[in-house]
Amino acid sequence: MSMNISANTLNALKNFSAINKSIVIKPGSEISTLAVTKNILASMQTQETFDSQVSIYDLGEFLGVIGLFKNPDFDFSNDGYCLIKETGSRTRTKYFYADPSVITSPPDKKVEMPSVDVDFDITDGQLIALQRAAIVYRVEDLSVVGNGEVIELVVRDRKNDTSNVFSVHVGDTDATFCFNLKVENLKLLPGDYHVQMSKSNVSLFTNRLNGVEYFIACEPDSSYEG
């Protein structure tokens, strides 16, 4: 049985390849990936339904193969490989699957936030500005800081009290907290996000346009006083 894969799903897969170069797509309408270090988990509900398991060791290579076709048509029904054909022609290729046991994959049980102690919205423009500031200042940390009045996202070197900082205001709060993240872990698709933070040192970034979710672990020295 053949199927098409939407541009949204292909864009998500390209993004996921930056989190883990390998992926196991399980039967159903969700794709997800887990970083080898297990500190980033991303998932997306797709408009397609996969009828069989698809195990790709080199996702970047697989996407490159797809790029060889103008209008690719996918057949995942074969044991051991995916058949990709050019719609309306005889051009085709077989792409063989990997052993799923060698791929770091998310747990079968759906991951939930242990608690939501802080939440706010951030725009695509604000995210871009923060990531650019991290490059300019050559710093690795992004802190979500609440001082009992406002919530700010601060790019800085948190181990250096004299570090240059760049911050954006994203909301108000009556709590005091500091959730520390690594900028390199913000491997997000472009867009506006709703962000939730848990005092269990877990964050959840949800893309407001396509619903892609990113669970990202906070650094151990994060704190929440309420």
Side-chain angles (χ1 to χ4, degrees), residues 201-213:
N201 283 355
V202 179
S203 65
L204 172 59
F205 289 71
T206 304
N207 190 297
R208 287 195 169 278
L209 178 63
N210 52 35
V212 179
E213 294 183 341

Side-chain angles (χ1 to χ4, degrees), residues 34-209:
L34 178 67
V36 174
T37 51
K38 299 185 178 180
N39 59 347
I40 308 171
L41 187 154
S43 63
M44 175 186 177
Q45 293 294 323
T46 63
Q47 60 193 76
E48 307 88 6
T49 299
F50 292 86
D51 293 325
S52 56
Q53 180 170 282
V54 179
S55 303
I56 304 296
Y57 183 75
D58 191 334
L59 184 53
E61 179 184 73
F62 180 66
L63 293 169
V65 170
I66 294 173
L68 298 174
F69 296 82
K70 185 176 181 180
N71 295 299
D73 187 75
F74 300 84
D75 184 350
F76 296 108
S77 64
N78 304 285
D79 289 335
Y81 66 90
C82 167
L83 182 63
I84 307 174
K85 299 182 290 185
E86 183 68 62
T87 303
S89 82
R90 294 185 177 181
T91 303
R92 62 185 60 201
T93 189
K94 287 182 179 179
Y95 194 92
F96 286 88
Y97 299 147
D99 180 351
S101 68
V102 303
I103 298 174
T104 301
S105 299
D108 291 332
K109 184 178 179 180
K110 183 174 176 60
V111 175
E112 303 282 355
M113 284 288 282
S115 64
V116 178
D117 302 294
V118 176
D119 69 295
F120 57 89
D121 294 317
I122 184 169
T123 67
D124 185 52
Q126 289 171 323
L127 277 170
I128 291 172
L130 288 163
Q131 290 169 327
R132 286 179 176 172
I135 294 172
V136 170
Y137 285 143
R138 299 178 184 176
V139 293
E140 301 177 349
D141 303 309
L142 184 145
S143 299
V144 180
V145 179
N147 63 3
E149 296 182 1
V150 299
I151 304 173
E152 290 187 323
L153 268 62
V154 183
V155 168
R156 61 180 178 176
D157 179 351
R158 71 181 194 280
K159 296 181 180 178
N160 181 359
D161 292 337
T162 62
S163 165
N164 292 316
V165 300
F166 179 88
S167 64
V168 298
H169 173 261
V170 292
D172 301 318
T173 183
D174 57 5
T176 301
F177 51 83
C178 180
F179 295 103
N180 296 311
L181 300 163
K182 288 296 185 183
V183 175
E184 67 180 6
N185 290 337
L186 300 179
K187 303 178 187 295
L188 310 175
L189 279 167
D192 299 340
Y193 282 83
H194 181 64
V195 184
Q196 298 172 316
M197 314 293 299
S198 170
K199 59 187 177 185
S200 298
N201 283 355
V202 179
S203 65
L204 172 59
F205 289 71
T206 304
N207 190 297
R208 287 195 169 278
L209 178 63

